[in-house]
Amino acid sequence: MDTKTVTGGTAGPALASRAAGAPGRWRGRPGLTLLAVAAGVMMVGLDGTIVAVANPAIQSHLHASLAGIQWVSNAYLLALAVSLITIGRLGDRFGHKKVFLTGVAGFAASSAAIGLSGSIAGSITLVIAFRALQGVFGAMLQPTALALLRNTFPAEKMNGAIGIWGAVIGASTAAGPIVGGLLVQHIGWEACFYVNVPVGAAALVMSLLVLKETPASPSSSFDIPGIAALAGALFLLIFGLIKGPDYGWTSAPTLAFLGAAALAGLLFAVRESRTRQPLLPLKLFRSASLSAGVVLVILLMFAMFGAMFFMTFYLENVHGLDPISAGVHLLPMTAMLIIGSPIAGALISKLGPRIPLVAGMLLAAVAMLGLSRLGATSSPNDTIAWFVLLGLGLSPVMVGATNVIVGNAPVELAGVAGGLQSTAMQLGGALGTAVLGAVMSAKIATALPASWHAAHLPALSTAQLAGVKSAVSVGAAPITSKTPPQIAAQITRITHATFTAGMHDAFLVAAAVALVGAVVALLAKRGNGTAAAHAGI
């Protein structure tokens, strides 16, 4: 071959042009697209469990109350839940790549702001505010990532792509407790949020180079009244549940919040039934199987987030484990979710969803009953078997309920059904921490004064009792270095006994919820599969 024909004439500029346009050749390639969106969504999966390990350190460093530390989780979950369906429509209108890039950049920036709020400002209020903002940006990642994959992968390879995408989320979720423990112990709880900055930067650069924009639909409209009604209903409900123990469950403020939440929910239903382009078409719920799937997803996350919320305080404050050890003890549950999910998928394909769903919820109920038997003198290793059982129980629910929701939706509403599934997951997590936290607070309010008096400890003023209750609600003994050793030992014993009694009641409630889920699962049936294929689930 003549060298001139390669380096000279028109060939040289052509080669140079192709070299300069290398990033253009990357754009829209399925494998690179999958890698880019997985890197972005990995932050959301990691953040979901890494914060559970960081909560005790955040509570201690910022002197937060139980309600305050609950809002660190609930503000994020609520913002995510409220935004998911809306963000899906935003991506349809303006293009999912634009929304995804905004989400990646915003999630990383808000994560940095959360860390700075603690290390510089020392404000739990700012931490909660930026967690809510982080939730909004997180909502920009999940539905848009799925849409970008659907737009890039051919239909015959879509299921494989979603499988890898789901494995990344599962692996990052499972890694959260370990990574969180290492960061909290060796750097500080702020590092649990700072870690999102380099991950986000890498995901942003990769996304700019390889993602191809999806077709925009300028004619799409937004159901602003529906968005406002849904956001109001969720906020009022969770706020009422968290403040209920402080106000009193039958007090006027609590009843006002819960009543207003019901009214906002009714207004949302009325609005959605009358508008031509609803945020959430109510005709989806004409399917009893789909409705059952939504309820099951809520119950799944109720159990999972509720268990992780209390167990971090139990392991660290009652048993004195460091954050890394606490993360290791939480790992069996998330690890079993990863291992159990493909097994559950095969069983559901063979048997249909009903039997695996019922069996999964029954296993979860047994695991919750086992966890409820833990006491202050139990070994931390006593949690492992129950967490293995809980993970194996929840995995068929996670797989089966998602398939039931999307598979029973009309093909043209498969995307909305996917958003509904994600929203149900976040709502379930928020309800789990709020409701079980309320159960814990109620138990402490009745048991602590009697135990304190029976131990002949100094009487407490109303303000002092409130402070002691706040400490006991996270398993931390309200003592200082100046507390006499004998009295400190008594207070520690009462604290741990009262906390585990509250945890006992909370897990009994969770077990009852799981049993209700087993009954609900009897309504589930296999969808036709067409919608599921279109939704990429």
Side-chain angles (χ1 to χ4, degrees), residues 99-492:
V99 176
F100 184 81
L101 292 174
T102 303
V104 170
F107 197 93
S110 57
S111 297
I114 293 167
L116 292 173
S117 297
S119 61
I120 297 178
S123 170
I124 188 66
T125 302
L126 281 177
V127 168
I128 292 169
F130 282 117
R131 278 285 281 168
L133 186 62
Q134 187 188 42
V136 174
F137 287 118
M140 294 182 181
L141 299 177
Q142 292 185 341
T144 52
L146 192 57
L148 287 163
L149 291 179
R150 288 210 309 266
N151 191 60
T152 305
F153 276 83
E156 66 273 12
K157 294 185 178 181
M158 188 62 192
N159 287 334
I162 295 300
I164 297 173
W165 181 74
V168 170
I169 295 176
S172 59
T173 301
I178 304 298
V179 174
L182 289 168
L183 293 175
V184 170
Q185 184 165 331
H186 294 290
I187 302 178
W189 66 264
E190 297 91 343
C192 292
F193 298 99
Y194 292 147
V195 72
N196 288 327
V197 176
V199 175
L204 185 63
V205 171
M206 192 182 308
S207 299
L208 285 169
L209 291 174
V210 307
L211 293 184
K212 182 175 66 174
E213 186 58 279
T214 58
S217 178
S219 61
S220 298
S221 64
F222 294 104
D223 179 19
I224 301 299
I227 293 171
L230 178 61
L234 291 171
F235 177 84
L236 291 166
L237 173 63
I238 302 302
F239 191 83
L241 290 171
I242 288 179
K243 300 300 290 183
D246 297 332
Y247 293 149
W249 289 109
T250 59
S251 68
T254 300
L255 295 177
F257 276 115
L258 298 181
L263 178 60
L266 179 61
L267 291 175
F268 174 73
V270 172
R271 169 66 186 180
E272 297 305 282
S273 65
R274 294 183 177 181
T275 183
R276 289 191 301 172
Q277 291 187 313
L279 178 68
L280 179 61
L282 298 183
K283 66 180 181 180
L284 281 172
F285 297 100
R286 294 173 186 170
S287 166
S289 187
L290 182 145
S291 300
V294 172
V295 173
L296 286 170
V297 169
I298 292 174
L299 299 181
L300 159 77
M301 300 308 290
F302 184 105
M304 182 170 153
F305 271 80
M308 294 187 69
F309 182 80
F310 284 115
M311 291 311 298
T312 53
F313 292 116
Y314 174 75
L315 293 170
E316 293 187 32
N317 291 343
V318 174
H319 283 289
L321 298 185
D322 58 55
I324 295 176
S325 297
V328 169
H329 280 80
L330 290 173
L331 187 59
M333 180 174 68
T334 49
M336 287 303 104
L337 283 170
I338 296 175
I339 295 171
S341 292
I343 298 174
L347 287 175
I348 291 169
S349 297
K350 184 177 181 180
L351 303 174
R354 185 172 298 162
I355 294 176
L357 284 172
V358 172
M361 293 308 294
L362 289 176
L363 284 176
V366 172
M368 290 297 180
L369 286 172
L371 290 171
S372 74
R373 296 171 60 85
L374 296 173
T377 58
S378 300
S379 168
N381 292 333
D382 291 343
T383 64
I384 295 175
W386 301 118
F387 272 147
V388 168
L389 192 63
L390 183 60
L392 289 174
L394 295 180
S395 54
V397 183
M398 181 175 290
V399 176
T402 300
N403 287 341
V404 165
I405 292 171
V406 181
N408 283 283
V411 175
E412 67 274 13
L413 294 177
V416 175
L420 177 62
Q421 184 266 356
S422 297
T423 302
M425 288 183 68
Q426 308 310 323
L427 177 59
L431 285 172
T433 53
V435 172
L436 298 184
V439 172
M440 167 70 78
S441 296
K443 182 66 175 182
I444 290 172
T446 57
L448 180 62
S451 299
W452 194 274
H453 178 74
H456 304 291
L457 292 170
L460 299 172
S461 66
T462 302
Q464 288 175 326
L465 180 59
V468 170
K469 286 181 179 178
S470 179
V472 173
S473 65
V474 293
I479 58 177
T480 66
S481 58
K482 297 181 180 180
T483 306
Q486 185 175 359
I487 294 179
Q490 284 183 304
I491 293 176
T492 299

Side-chain angles (χ1 to χ4, degrees), residues 55-56 58-59 64-73 124 309 313 474:
N55 272 337
I58 298 173
Q59 184 274 326
S65 64
L66 176 64
I69 201 65
Q70 281 179 313
W71 273 107
V72 171
S73 296
I124 188 66
F309 182 80
F313 292 116
V474 293

